[in-house]
Amino acid sequence: MIELTAKSPFDGMLPVTVGALSLSEVDTGAMTALSARKGQGEALASAFKQAHGVAWPRAGRATGREGCRALWFGHVHVLLMGPPAAPALAEWAALVDQSDAWAVARLEGAGVRDVLARLTPLDLREGQFKRGRTARSEVAHMPASITRIGAQSYQVMVFRAMAGTLVEEVQTAMQGVAARAGG
């Protein structure tokens, strides 16, 4: 009988460091997509805050921090990362486990915006994409979620099957930025 072993999406591929830039895997814990039932948005937001201690994020925002973070994930959708969603929230929302669906990485260091500028059409300038902002977009033509989590730190998510491609694309961009900086 074949014995299956669970592996992380980036198994053996990360971390990668080029100059002052690094790409590392993020262990998010559970990931649950929550979609408010029709007319239940306000009740869900209140119950979510009570159950998880973080606010329901507005469009384009993330709330919480590593260990319990909520990302706006489109229209009436939020992705909870960290603890499993409180089962009682099913009264106001559809809950879908996404724990094995996404590969999550942290890209950080001096020049991080220059790296991302080579990979995504998002305007990541300080005044436009401050800490706590999040967007669904693309990274190197892959559907992605990008969240700014620090001054020089971003969380980048792609579908699990695209983890290897993300590492290759980001590493190439990191090398280009480092070469341009002379490092």
Side-chain angles (χ1 to χ4, degrees):
M1 176 181 277
I2 296 174
E3 191 170 318
L4 300 176
T5 304
K7 292 184 178 183
S8 75
F10 297 109
D11 187 51
M13 294 183 269
L14 292 179
V16 171
T17 301
V18 177
L21 295 158
S22 68
L23 181 67
S24 57
E25 185 168 11
V26 177
D27 180 2
T28 62
M31 288 191 275
T32 307
L34 294 95
S35 300
R37 298 187 192 286
K38 188 174 183 175
Q40 297 297 309
E42 287 183 31
L44 173 59
S46 177
F48 183 82
K49 170 87 171 165
Q50 185 174 12
H52 294 288
V54 297
W56 185 261
R58 297 187 324 254
R61 302 295 177 114
T63 59
R65 58 181 47 99
E66 198 164 333
C68 186
R69 180 173 282 142
L71 304 179
W72 173 82
F73 228 50
H75 192 50
V76 296
H77 310 290
V78 163
L79 184 68
L80 174 63
M81 303 168 73
L89 296 176
E91 182 178 338
W92 303 280
L95 310 177
V96 180
D97 182 19
Q98 297 285 305
S99 301
D100 289 333
W102 293 93
V104 185
R106 177 179 292 118
L107 178 60
E108 57 192 341
V112 68
R113 279 200 305 265
D114 295 331
V115 171
L116 287 170
R118 293 168 180 242
L119 300 170
T120 184
L122 290 175
D123 182 354
L124 299 175
R125 290 176 297 161
E126 178 68 36
Q128 300 300 312
F129 206 83
K130 298 177 182 179
R131 186 172 188 225
R133 296 285 179 143
T134 192
R136 294 291 299 267
S137 185
E138 64 178 49
V139 171
H141 305 291
M142 295 176 283
S145 169
I146 300 173
T147 304
R148 185 159 184 199
I149 56 175
Q152 295 183 7
S153 182
Y154 292 81
Q155 175 179 283
V156 180
M157 299 173 56
V158 295
F159 294 126
R160 182 184 182 100
M162 298 173 182
T165 303
L166 177 69
V167 172
E168 290 173 12
E169 294 289 346
V170 172
Q171 185 171 10
T172 299
M174 290 166 67
Q175 291 166 339
V177 168
R180 190 167 177 97

